[in-house]
């Protein structure tokens, strides 16, 4: 039995040698795709990861309030401050699209804010019949100070509103603290009157199960396009099966003493080797080529064994699908276009082209029926969550059952056709 399986394996290798150009395309095309798509999508993934947006910050106040605003912006995970501009040049840079926005803090903002607060506090204290602090200087309320915000005309309204709300909240908190401090000074009390918020927000994350982790461009595209390459073997595999039927090879196989499932296993082992080579080439690009292009390096430290397990099961699913298409097709004109188109459709709905977490909710539900999505989720679990075989067992079982289902339908169809 093992000898027959070996001979079937050798036969498949010889068939592939006759189409060496096609095999080269199978290896090179995904490599070109992964490099091109990753370069295109890198900036988009960086935005999803929360990379900082460069904005212009001009401080004409250079005092307490402006320093607090600057510190809050610098410590945020959203903005990177550019300070080597004046207001005129900043306006030009923003309106020409070089930067998304500019913030200009007016002169004497801190001084006028303090004067305004002192004036109002003294008025309130006097209205209660209390004597204002004799050492306090009588101040006059200042006019409203404007913080100038310049936005790129192409900036969406949601971004504008979020920025204005954030700055307004900062100024409001600064003003509140100053008001409480002014009342302390006027009333001569040492008691802390600062208003500590009674209600706060606390994010609750699951202790068990999967966390929502967003991959970077490399963590998505390496496994995604490896899966696309793996499933694209559907085309040469189905073409070889059709050739066997048209050239009479399948008749000789059926009349030989070798069971037909040995013939299927020979194809399975042959194309599994191709799948593993495709995956290793993708990983090599992620480790050594992407860093040269200023892209993140693909980290497989301690994960390569688990990734290869997923690759083998994804390869089985792809091989089973290719066997089914080759079995039901009568001509290469049927198998090649249908195989290629079906792989592209499975890739599209499975999250290869566009990550599933960016899809509408309806499409996210449909994606769950794509074998490519099962493989991609298994890769994600290993790469992003350091999951073991136990955590990805469900996806592996689905991929294996898909292979069994495809091969079973193919064998039943083949038997029915031969019995006619």
């Amino acid at each position: 039995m093992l000898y027959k399986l070996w001979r079937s394996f050798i036969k498949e290798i010889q068939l592939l040698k006759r189409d060496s150009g096609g095999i080269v395309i199978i290896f090179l095309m995904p490599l070109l795709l992964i490099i091109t798509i990753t370069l295109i999508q890198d900036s988009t993934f960086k935005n999803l990861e929360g990379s900082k947006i460069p904005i212009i910050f001009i401080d004409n106040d250079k005092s307490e309030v402006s320093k607090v605003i600057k510190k809050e912006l610098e410590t945020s995970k959203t903005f990177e401050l550019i300070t080597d501009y004046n207001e005129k040049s900043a306006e030009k840079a923003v309106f020409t699209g070089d930067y998304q926005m500019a913030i200009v803090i007016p002169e004497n903002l801190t001084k006028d804010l303090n004067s305004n607060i002192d004036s109002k506090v003294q008025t309130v204290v006097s209205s209660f019949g209390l004597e204002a602090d004799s050492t306090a200087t009588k101040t006059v309320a200042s006019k409203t100070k404007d913080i100038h915000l310049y936005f790129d005309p192409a900036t969406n309204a949601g971004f504008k509103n979020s920025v204005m709300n954030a700055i307004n909240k900062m100024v409001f908190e600064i003003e509140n603290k100053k008001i409480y401090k002014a009342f302390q000074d006027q009333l001569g009390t040492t008691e802390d009157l600062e208003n500590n918020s009674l209600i706060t927000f606390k994010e609750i994350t699951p202790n068990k199960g999967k966390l929502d982790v967003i991959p970077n461009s490399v963590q998505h595209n390496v496994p995604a396009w490896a899966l696309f390459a793996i499933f694209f073997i559907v085309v040469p595999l189905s073409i070889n099966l059709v050739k066997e039927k048209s050239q009479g090879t399948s008749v000789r196989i059926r009349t030989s003493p070798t069971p037909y499932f040995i013939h299927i296993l020979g194809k399975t082992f042959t194309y599994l080797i191709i799948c593993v080579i495709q995956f290793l080439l993708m990983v090599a690009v992620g480790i050594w080529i992407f860093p040269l292009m200023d892209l993140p390096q693909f980290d497989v430290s301690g994960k390569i064994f688990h990734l290869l397990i997923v690759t083998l099961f994804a390869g089985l699913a792809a091989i089973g699908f290719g066997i089914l298409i080759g079995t039901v097709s009568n001509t290469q004109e049927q198998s090649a276009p249908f195989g290629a188109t079906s792989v592209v459709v499975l890739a599209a709905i499975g999250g290869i082209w566009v990550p599933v977490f960016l899809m509408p909710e309806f499409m996210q539900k449909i994606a769950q029926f794509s074998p490519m999505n099962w493989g991609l989720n298994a890769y994600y679990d290993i790469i992003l969550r350091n999951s073991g075989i136990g955590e990805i067992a469900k996806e592996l079982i689905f991929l294996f059952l898909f292979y069994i289902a495809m091969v079973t339908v193919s064998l039943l169809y083949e038997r029915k056709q031969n019995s006619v």
Side-chain angles (χ1 to χ4, degrees):
M1 186 69 71
L2 290 177
Y3 176 76
K4 293 179 180 179
L5 182 59
W6 171 253
R7 295 310 305 174
S8 177
F9 173 76
I10 296 300
K11 174 183 72 70
E12 294 301 324
I13 296 296
Q14 291 174 343
L15 282 174
L16 291 172
K17 283 183 179 179
R18 296 176 185 176
D19 189 19
S20 55
I23 295 301
V24 170
I25 291 174
I26 288 177
F27 290 129
L28 287 183
M29 182 194 66
L31 294 178
L32 293 174
L33 281 172
I34 189 176
I35 292 172
T36 304
I37 300 300
T38 305
L39 286 170
I40 292 172
Q41 292 183 346
D42 187 54
S43 60
T44 301
F45 275 89
K46 283 180 178 177
N47 288 336
L48 291 173
E49 293 167 23
S51 61
K52 293 189 175 182
I53 302 170
I55 63 172
I56 299 173
F57 183 83
I58 300 173
D59 183 6
N60 293 325
D61 179 49
K62 300 185 187 304
S63 193
E64 183 184 356
V65 175
S66 63
K67 288 178 181 178
V68 171
I69 294 175
K70 184 178 181 181
K71 184 180 178 181
E72 290 289 333
L73 292 172
E74 285 177 334
T75 55
S76 73
K77 298 179 180 180
T78 307
F79 302 116
E80 175 188 354
L81 302 190
I82 310 297
T83 57
D84 52 349
Y85 278 84
N86 57 42
E87 185 164 1
K88 186 175 181 180
S89 61
E91 179 181 359
K92 181 179 179 182
V94 172
F95 288 166
T96 56
D98 294 338
Y99 293 94
Q100 278 195 266
M101 68 169 295
I103 302 174
V104 181
I105 307 297
E107 293 181 357
N108 300 320
L109 176 62
T110 302
K111 179 182 176 182
D112 291 345
L113 180 63
N114 289 336
S115 298
N116 193 35
I117 290 173
D118 288 343
S119 173
K120 290 181 178 179
V121 168
Q122 288 180 30
T123 302
V124 171
V125 171
S126 298
S127 68
F128 283 105
L130 300 175
E131 185 178 351
D133 188 357
S134 60
T135 61
T137 304
K138 188 69 176 179
T139 56
V140 180
S142 303
K143 293 182 179 179
T144 303
K145 305 293 288 189
D146 292 328
I147 296 177
H148 293 174
L149 300 178
Y150 295 89
F151 289 99
D152 181 353
T155 303
N156 64 65
F159 177 78
K160 292 181 182 179
N161 290 333
S162 63
V163 170
M164 287 189 285
N165 289 336
I167 294 176
N168 186 59
K169 180 182 177 184
M170 280 187 263
V171 174
F172 180 75
E173 289 178 352
I174 294 169
E175 193 171 3
N176 265 355
K177 289 179 180 179
K178 285 186 171 294
I179 290 172
Y180 284 112
K181 181 65 169 60
F183 270 110
Q184 280 182 302
D185 294 339
Q186 289 291 333
L187 297 175
T189 178
T190 58
E191 185 180 352
D192 186 9
L193 297 176
E194 187 173 336
N195 183 26
N196 294 320
S197 179
L198 180 63
I199 300 174
T200 59
F201 294 94
K202 180 180 179 182
E203 181 181 1
I204 307 299
T205 57
N207 294 324
K208 298 181 180 180
K210 299 179 180 178
L211 301 177
D212 292 327
V213 184
I214 297 179
N216 62 34
S217 58
V218 171
Q219 290 171 331
H220 168 73
N221 281 298
V222 169
W225 291 103
L227 280 169
F228 184 81
I230 288 169
F231 271 81
F232 211 77
I233 64 167
V234 163
V235 177
L237 175 55
S238 61
I239 288 176
N240 281 345
L241 282 167
V242 172
K243 282 183 179 178
E244 290 178 353
K245 287 190 284 188
S246 61
Q247 294 172 357
T249 306
S250 60
V251 176
R252 293 195 295 272
I253 291 172
R254 288 196 302 270
T255 56
S256 70
T258 303
Y260 186 70
F261 75 87
I262 295 294
H263 175 60
I264 296 298
L265 286 178
K267 291 184 179 296
T268 300
F269 289 135
T270 303
Y271 282 91
L272 273 180
I273 293 174
I274 293 176
C275 293
V276 171
I277 294 173
Q278 288 175 319
F279 176 75
L280 292 177
L281 286 174
M282 295 291 191
V283 171
V285 170
I287 294 175
W288 291 296
I289 304 297
F290 281 161
L292 300 177
M293 300 178 175
D294 198 28
L295 292 169
Q297 186 179 44
F298 187 59
D299 181 18
V300 294
S301 53
K303 305 171 184 175
I304 191 66
F305 174 75
H306 296 100
L307 293 174
L308 285 174
I309 295 296
V310 177
T311 301
L312 290 174
F313 278 85
L316 285 174
I319 291 164
F321 189 48
I323 290 172
L324 177 62
I325 293 176
T327 301
V328 301
S329 300
N330 296 318
T331 64
Q332 295 182 35
E333 288 75 14
Q334 292 177 351
S335 63
F338 180 77
T341 303
S342 58
V343 168
V344 170
V345 171
L346 288 175
I349 66 175
I352 304 302
W353 301 92
V354 178
V356 173
F357 56 82
L358 294 179
M359 294 181 179
E361 186 177 352
F362 173 71
M363 289 303 300
Q364 290 183 18
K365 292 179 179 179
I366 294 179
Q368 297 175 7
F369 296 96
S370 171
M372 286 198 196
N373 184 248
W374 307 336
L376 189 58
N377 284 337
Y379 280 134
Y380 276 172
D381 288 345
I382 295 169
I383 296 168
L384 302 175
R385 306 179 180 97
N386 295 313
S387 299
I389 298 299
E391 287 83 0
I392 61 172
K394 183 178 74 172
E395 287 83 2
L396 298 183
I397 291 172
F398 283 169
L399 290 168
F400 184 69
L401 290 178
F402 186 82
Y403 167 74
I404 295 297
M406 296 295 101
V407 171
T408 301
V409 172
S410 301
L411 293 175
L412 292 175
Y413 183 86
E414 182 75 11
R415 182 178 299 176
K416 181 179 179 181
Q417 290 296 106
N418 295 331
S419 63
V420 177

